[in-house]
Every structure is written in structure tokens, then in C-alpha cells.
Amino acid sequence: MSPRDFYEVLGVGRDASDAEIKSAYRKLAMKYHPDRNKEEGASEKFKEATEAYSVLSDEEKRARYNQFGHAGVGGQGPGGGVQVDLNDIFSQFGDIFGGGGGGGGGSIFENLFGGFGRGGRGGRATPRGRSLRARVTIELDDVLTGAERTLKLRRQEKCHSCSGSGGAPGSTREACSTCHGQGAVHQQQGFFAVRTACPRCQGEGSLVSKPCGSCRGTGTEAAEREISLQIPAGIEDGAQIRLADQGEAGPQGGPPGDLFVEVQIKEREGVHRDGRDLYIEVPISWPQAVLGDKLTVATLEGEARMTVPAGTPTGKLFRIRGQGLPKLHGGQRGDLLVRIFIDVPKKLGREERNLVKKLHDLEQASRK
């Protein structure tokens, strides 16, 4: 049987935003959670939704899926090899799963997905580092061509003295007395009974007998880093870019978390964006509206010429094709839509006033 389309699984369109995808998954996860829904097939629907979310919530995976389908993300639907990072899922939906970002899960999830997304020693989850969040602001012009930004951040990295192990030279590891070497403890929260990472050993199941003097056994130390961020052309305001493994290092040598960067687009005066299309307003005089004229309007790349035909009313919308913004990950550019409005002067000279009055008298006479 052919695997279902991931967008169909979550019940969203192919142009769905990150927020819409997250909201759709939350509803399905609540409905088909194996600890809450014991109906036949609920577990498979839960797994199917989780796999779909793990792909569509990741910008890079989503781009590959849009282009190549299931083959682009290394899977053929449920059970077909889609790599699901449960630790990341738990960190985003802790209210559903009862877990944090420390790598906890539950045996039922291990059975569904064949282990945790980033497995650790002896089949237990290796504790991940904390994911970080940042924000960058770009200009509207940057959406046309894409941009590169350098982020400066302070994060926890592997300790240089112990290489992240947390132990002093020659130290050994001893079983954790809290979880008795299991690396996890059971927690009951409402409908859900899940297994989460042991808070004492952070899921390792053991502790060093002699902590490292530099990091005091945590395996991490603070460091300042500059990280290059590539912002693709066509990105939407508020979109998040995920930089895998650029978060904080995990305790006791665990894998790092991710860095999520929110992109904000600075508004440009007089320009309104709607997807790939741009809207501007251009004033013309009453004689131009009556007689028609040729105008030069500003675009993101320079200028464009357009014709205003005779008898153009205020509010008329003209379209200049291909002068909008590109589609994310490639595709045809949008258009520039120019709305005309008649600029009525507040003050007139004596000659101008007389001409307007004469025109008014002619109009009145023609109506009799």
C-alpha cells in the first residue's frame, strides 16, 4: 500500500504555516495518544501523525519531501525509516507527553518508533542539550535575494578538560541510586503514564565517581560563538529556521540541542506584502486620470513603466507581473500590484481655480 501524503495525514494544505502544522499535530496527538486511545489502529495513527510532523516541521526535510516525496526523507510511510527525534517532539509538546527536553520518553514510544530518535548506551536515551532560540531582522529586499547573517550567542559546549564526560581523569562511573541504573523514572500525569529521564543522572543511568574540576561533573562549559545563518529567498515573516545541533551540548557527552531562529521582516513604508505579491499605492492627478498617462513606479530592483489609460477611476488596481517576491525554495515570482488613487490638491492658484470652475460650469450645463 502506498504511504499517505504527510499533508493529508495532518489535514493541512501544502502552503500551511509552521503554526498550522504544529496545531494540527497537537490535535491528532491528543486524539490518538496510545495511553489515552485504546481503539484498534490508534497507535498506528499516532505514529503516522508523529512521522508527518517530524518531517513537515523541519524546513530542510519539508523541502526535500515537497520535491521528492517520501523518498526524499528516507522513508516510505509508517515503519519505512523516517527518523523521528522523540526528544525534540517531547520538548515541544511537554504538556501532552509529560516530558521535557531531557530525553525522556516511554516504553510505548520505544516500541512504536524502535527506540528514541537519538539513542544512548544500552538502548536508553542519551540526554540532549537544551535547544536555543534566537531572532534576526531582515529587510524586504533580502526576501528577494536571500541573505546571510551572523549570530552571536553564548551557549554550553563540551568541557575541554573532560571532553564532555563530566569525570576527572581516572574516574569511574557508578550506578545512579535514584533510577537504579535504568536512566529513567516513571511519572503519572492525568491520563498519561510515561517514562522520563532520571533527573539526577539525566538519563545516563550512572554518575561519575569523581567529577571534573573544570565543569563540576556537568560535562559542559559556557562559550561564546558566532554562527552563520543562511536565510533563503522567499521566506515569510515569523518563519523559523532550524539549525540542527547548534544548541547547547548535552550533559555527560550527550548530543547537542538545536537552534531555532525566528526571522522577522522589517516593514517597508508604502509596501504591503501578501505572500509572493507586493502592493503599493501611487497618486495621480485628476487630469492624468481623465486623459491617461505613462508612469514610472519603484520596484525592489529599480523601476518599472506602466500605462494608466484614460478614464481611470481612483482605486483601480494594475498588475506588473514578475515584480513581486520569489517562492520559498524556488518557483515563479509573484507580482507587483499598483493601486491608483487621485490626489486632490488642497490649494489652487487663481488661474487653476478659474479653469476648474469653468470645467464645472461646462459639466453643469451639459446636464441640463
Side-chain angles (χ1 to χ4, degrees), residues 62-359:
R62 184 177 181 182
R64 294 202 307 268
Y65 178 75
N66 288 342
Q67 186 172 4
F68 303 109
H70 290 282
V73 291
Q76 299 296 325
V82 176
Q83 295 298 310
V84 178
D85 186 349
L86 290 183
N87 292 312
D88 191 37
I89 300 290
F90 291 159
S91 68
Q92 296 182 58
F93 300 94
D95 57 331
I96 297 178
F97 300 111
S107 58
I108 191 167
F109 300 111
E110 293 179 13
N111 293 334
L112 279 175
F113 295 95
F116 294 93
R118 303 190 186 203
R121 303 179 182 88
R124 291 191 298 271
T126 303
R128 290 188 65 191
R130 185 168 63 96
S131 290
L132 301 177
R133 297 188 180 275
R135 183 179 298 161
V136 296
T137 301
I138 63 174
E139 302 288 339
L140 187 61
D141 293 15
D142 295 324
V143 181
L144 179 63
T145 59
E148 182 178 354
R149 292 290 186 271
T150 299
L151 301 175
K152 294 183 179 180
L153 55 87
R154 186 176 178 83
R155 67 185 181 187
Q156 293 293 320
E157 298 185 353
K158 284 186 178 181
C159 173
H160 70 282
S161 297
C162 64
S163 299
S165 68
S171 64
T172 58
R173 301 190 69 87
E174 300 174 347
C176 174
S177 59
T178 300
C179 64
H180 305 290
Q182 296 300 310
V185 294
H186 290 273
Q187 292 183 348
Q188 181 79 33
Q189 294 190 5
F191 288 101
F192 311 127
V194 296
R195 194 178 69 170
T196 59
C198 173
R200 184 162 184 252
C201 66
Q202 300 297 311
E204 283 289 285
S206 62
L207 298 167
V208 293
S209 58
K210 185 179 180 182
C212 169
S214 298
C215 65
R216 299 182 180 180
T218 64
T220 63
E221 60 184 357
E224 293 185 355
R225 285 287 179 267
E226 290 188 353
I227 298 175
S228 178
L229 172 69
Q230 296 293 333
I231 302 174
I235 195 165
E236 293 280 351
D237 182 46
Q240 285 194 95
I241 298 176
R242 178 189 179 192
L243 299 180
D245 300 330
Q246 290 297 331
E248 296 194 330
Q252 288 84 47
D258 300 325
L259 173 61
F260 295 89
V261 184
E262 179 184 346
V263 178
Q264 292 188 331
I265 301 172
K266 188 177 180 180
E267 292 185 358
R268 184 166 176 171
E269 187 176 359
V271 181
H272 171 70
R273 179 186 183 183
D274 183 9
R276 287 179 287 166
D277 294 332
L278 298 175
Y279 289 79
I280 62 172
E281 291 188 342
V282 174
I284 62 173
S285 65
W286 184 78
Q288 285 178 303
V290 174
L291 302 175
D293 202 357
K294 293 184 181 297
L295 303 179
T296 300
V297 297
T299 69
L300 293 182
E301 297 174 289
E303 296 179 339
R305 298 279 292 174
M306 61 172 287
T307 299
V308 177
T312 295
T314 191
K316 177 72 174 179
L317 197 63
F318 295 89
R319 184 183 297 270
I320 303 178
R321 297 195 178 278
Q323 289 297 320
L325 297 171
K327 183 180 180 181
L328 187 64
H329 304 306
Q332 187 175 2
R333 283 179 59 176
D335 302 326
L336 175 65
L337 292 102
V338 183
R339 190 179 302 277
I340 296 298
F341 70 93
I342 299 174
D343 187 15
V344 180
K346 296 181 179 179
K347 293 183 179 180
L348 294 174
R350 178 179 296 178
E351 185 177 357
E352 293 172 320
R353 188 176 183 84
N354 288 337
L355 287 173
V356 173
K357 188 175 186 304
K358 184 177 181 179
L359 180 60

Side-chain angles (χ1 to χ4, degrees), residues 358-368:
K358 184 177 181 179
L359 180 60
H360 175 70
D361 293 340
L362 288 172
E363 288 180 344
Q364 292 297 318
S366 66
R367 294 176 182 174
K368 293 182 180 179

